[in-house]
Amino acid sequence: QVQLAESGGGLVQAGGSLRLSCAASGNGFVIGDMGWYRQAPEKQRELVARITSGGSPVSADSVKGRFTISRDNAKRSVYLQMNNLKPEDTAVYYCNAEATTIYGLRRNYWGQGTQVTVSS
């Protein structure tokens, strides 16, 4: 079983910055792609950014130029640096990771979510 622990959310004024972190724990698996999703009230969960195990990132158009995703494979962690935050970035942010077990089974795992609130 894989557990994802997120940290770094909070309340910030528009134009401010936050850095989210997510660390995977557990035994008997290899982490593949990792990413961040967000869900605002009464909206569907949407992709913010993802990064492959090789370090290739993709991000949503709405955050390009403002958010940067990175990872540390040795720490099995993924990070999201969020700059120039806007009120529309307010949401619960979820860490996601693909993990393959020693038996070759691949599954998606989610963190518990961390609240990001941007005031105008």
Side-chain angles (χ1 to χ4, degrees):
Q1 187 73 5
V2 174
Q3 290 84 41
L4 300 176
E6 300 143 333
S7 61
L11 173 63
V12 65
Q13 288 187 334
S17 298
L18 286 173
R19 185 174 187 252
L20 304 183
S21 300
C22 173
S25 61
N27 296 312
F29 62 91
V30 174
I31 293 291
D33 291 3
M34 301 184 80
W36 291 94
Y37 290 73
R38 67 186 181 187
Q39 188 167 18
E42 301 182 357
K43 291 189 177 181
Q44 290 189 333
R45 191 173 297 188
E46 63 177 3
L47 171 70
V48 176
R50 289 189 67 81
I51 186 167
T52 68
S53 57
S56 297
V58 294
S59 59
D61 288 343
S62 59
V63 306
K64 284 181 179 176
R66 302 188 297 123
F67 293 8
T68 302
I69 190 170
S70 61
R71 65 187 288 166
D72 184 332
N73 289 336
K75 295 182 179 180
R76 298 195 296 186
S77 294
V78 63
Y79 309 97
L80 186 68
Q81 178 65 43
M82 304 185 293
N83 297 328
N84 190 22
L85 282 159
K86 303 176 180 180
E88 52 262 43
D89 294 318
T90 295
V92 178
Y93 284 69
Y94 295 92
C95 176
N96 173 267
E98 290 181 350
T100 302
T101 71
I102 58 175
Y103 304 106
L105 299 176
R106 186 164 64 183
R107 289 185 58 186
N108 254 304
Y109 292 89
W110 293 92
Q112 79 283 1
T114 185
Q115 177 70 46
V116 171
T117 302
V118 184
S119 63
S120 57

